């Protein structure tokens, strides 16, 4: 049976006593797993309804319900953002649909995130003259991640949710890489690139944190320039903090991620490791392979074709940028030499000849002899002062890296 907004509104009425739906609206979600909408009732209240399309998606919602229960009022008060609250649920054909109290704000695209960071929307109510100016959106995001990653690990472990060590994070990704390679649909140079990064043990020396696990622009709401909430809590676990930074790789301006990391460094209890953004780049690139494997497992041809196109684009970007590893920029491009006219070439040659003759005369005057043709002065190469630049990929995976990604400005652990 097709899941329509009207049907989801009826589910909301059945799940939450007293709700009388009068209107529905769209709600961004993973279209492959969920049907979602926002329902407005007769009293003007809004509710978000999420209906799973398969057993796996239903289990994810059940897990999210468990996670949200672990966020007690005291824990929620320590976070600078809102979290969803489950208002009710309805089981149908073995799948459970959940209804959440609606959170303020709306989601933004990556481009809109950057625009509002530079030109924020004014607040609904004018702040008092003595109020502290509102921080840019990138700073708010860094502070929020710092507070989330500073939560005690017991919050996750007491809820019987996964907890991984740094080495376990690396081995799990190696296993996923092997699984992706068996499809035979991923460019070989990308497989080698990712394997080399996973075998570089220096990248995998970090302290694990409580992480959201599925953070991206569709799971963040912004309300008039203020970060309002994080949603989509089905993958909360203890693991690599770089997981929550990987979506930032899709920003066209690498300074956004640098600002987020700087604010994060101040807000977090422990400073980030110096390779955090390099692993974030790796995870952003590898997400395309995970999307392909997901399509292959489900037999969805459109997903597989889409993932292959993005992987082909990524491979081309990597070759063009000559990036040796995720998060590491390739060598700077060499500007082409401008062609010289015959007249100017001849004039330059004449000038060099004259300079050589004058130099020989000067040295002959100094020591009473001239240099023979077999001798030459010592030469010393000069430093050209060039530094690697930024190379951005497509499809959310960057092939180069910001200064933070290369470790030049990030705090060391």
């Amino acid at each position: 049976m097709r899941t329509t907004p009207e049907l989801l509104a009826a589910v909301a009425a059945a799940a939450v006593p007293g709700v009388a739906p009068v209107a529905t609206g769209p709600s961004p979600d993973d279209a492959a797993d969920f049907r979602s909408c926002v329902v407005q009732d007769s009293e003007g209240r809004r509710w978000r309804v999420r209906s799973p399309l398969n057993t796996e998606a239903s289990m994810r919602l059940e897990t999210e319900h468990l996670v949200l229960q672990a966020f007690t009022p005291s824990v929620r008060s320590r976070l600078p953002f809102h979290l969803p609250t489950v208002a009710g649920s309805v089981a149908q054909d073995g799948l459970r649909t959940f209804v959440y109290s609606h959170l303020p704000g709306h989601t933004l695209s990556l481009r809109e995130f950057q625009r509002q960071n530079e030109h924020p929307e004014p607040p609904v109510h004018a702040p008092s003259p003595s109020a502290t100016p509102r921080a840019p959106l990138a700073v708010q995001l860094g502070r929020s991640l710092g507070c989330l990653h500073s939560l005690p690990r017991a919050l996750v472990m007491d809820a019987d949710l996964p907890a991984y060590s740094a080495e376990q994070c690396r081995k799990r990704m190696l296993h996923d890489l092997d699984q992706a390679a068996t499809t035979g649909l991923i460019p070989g140079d990308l497989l080698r690139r990712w394997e080399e990064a996973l075998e570089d043990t220096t990248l995998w020396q970090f302290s694990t944190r409580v992480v959201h696990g599925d953070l991206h622009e569709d799971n963040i709401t912004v309300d008039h320039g203020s970060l309002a909430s994080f949603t989509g809590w089905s993958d909360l676990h203890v693991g690599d903090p770089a997981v929550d930074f990987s979506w930032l790789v899709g920003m066209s301006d690498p300074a956004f991620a640098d600002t987020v990391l700087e604010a994060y460094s101040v807000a977090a209890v422990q400073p980030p490791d110096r390779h955090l953004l390099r692993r974030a780049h790796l995870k952003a690139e590898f997400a395309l392979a995970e999307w392909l494997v997901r399509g292959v497992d489900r037999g969805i041809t459109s997903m597989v074709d889409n993932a292959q196109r993005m992987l082909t684009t990524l491979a081309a970007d990597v070759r063009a940028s000559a990036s040796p590893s995720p998060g590491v920029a390739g060598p700077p491009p060499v500007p082409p030499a401008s062609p010289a006219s015959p007249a100017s070439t001849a004039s330059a040659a004449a000038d060099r000849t004259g300079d050589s003759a004058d130099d020989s005369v000067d040295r002959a005057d100094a020591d009473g002899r001239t240099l023979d043709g077999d001798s030459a002065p010592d030469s010393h190469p000069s430093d050209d002062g060039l530094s690697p630049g930024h190379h951005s990929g497509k499809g959310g995976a960057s092939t180069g890296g910001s200064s933070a990604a290369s470790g030049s400005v990030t705090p060391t652990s």
Side-chain angles (χ1 to χ4, degrees), residues 10 16 41 109 121 142 214 219 224 227 296 302 339 354 400:
V16 184
D41 65 15
S109 65
E121 292 184 1
D214 189 29
N219 280 338
H224 292 88
L227 193 150
V296 170
S302 60

Side-chain angles (χ1 to χ4, degrees), residues 17-34:
V19 170
V22 296
T24 62
S27 177
D29 214 324
D30 183 354
D33 284 333
F34 302 99

Side-chain angles (χ1 to χ4, degrees), residues 85-132:
T85 299
V86 175
S89 64
V90 172
Q92 184 178 15
D93 298 330
L95 306 179
R96 184 171 292 275
T97 297
F98 283 84
V99 181
Y100 305 82
S101 56
H102 188 257
L103 295 171
H106 55 279
T107 60
L108 303 177
S109 65
L110 293 180
R111 179 177 296 180
E112 189 65 14
F113 253 106
Q114 293 181 183
R115 191 195 68 78
Q116 287 207 22
N117 183 63
E118 299 171 358
H119 308 287
E121 292 184 1
V124 178
H125 303 289
S128 63
S130 60
T132 303

Side-chain angles (χ1 to χ4, degrees), residues 42 63 109 111 113 146 153 171 177 192 219-220 225 365:
S42 57
T63 301
S109 65
R111 179 177 296 180
F113 253 106
R153 291 176 175 83
K171 288 184 175 179
L177 179 63
R192 290 188 295 272
N219 280 338
I220 301 174
D365 291 341

Side-chain angles (χ1 to χ4, degrees), residues 175-188 191 194 286 288-298 304 307-308 311:
H175 175 270
D176 292 342
L177 179 63
D178 291 338
Q179 184 179 8
T182 59
T183 65
L185 301 175
I186 300 176
L191 292 174
W194 298 333
F286 190 66
L288 302 183
E290 293 176 322
W291 182 252
L292 183 143
V293 171
R294 188 176 175 187
V296 170
D297 290 343
R298 298 186 180 186
V304 175
Q308 281 190 281
L311 286 165

Side-chain angles (χ1 to χ4, degrees), residues 360-383:
S360 298
V361 171
D362 291 341
R363 279 177 284 182
D365 291 341
D367 56 14
R369 61 183 178 86
T370 60
L371 294 175
D372 57 35
D374 295 333
S375 302
D378 292 337
S379 62
H380 301 280
S382 61
D383 184 2

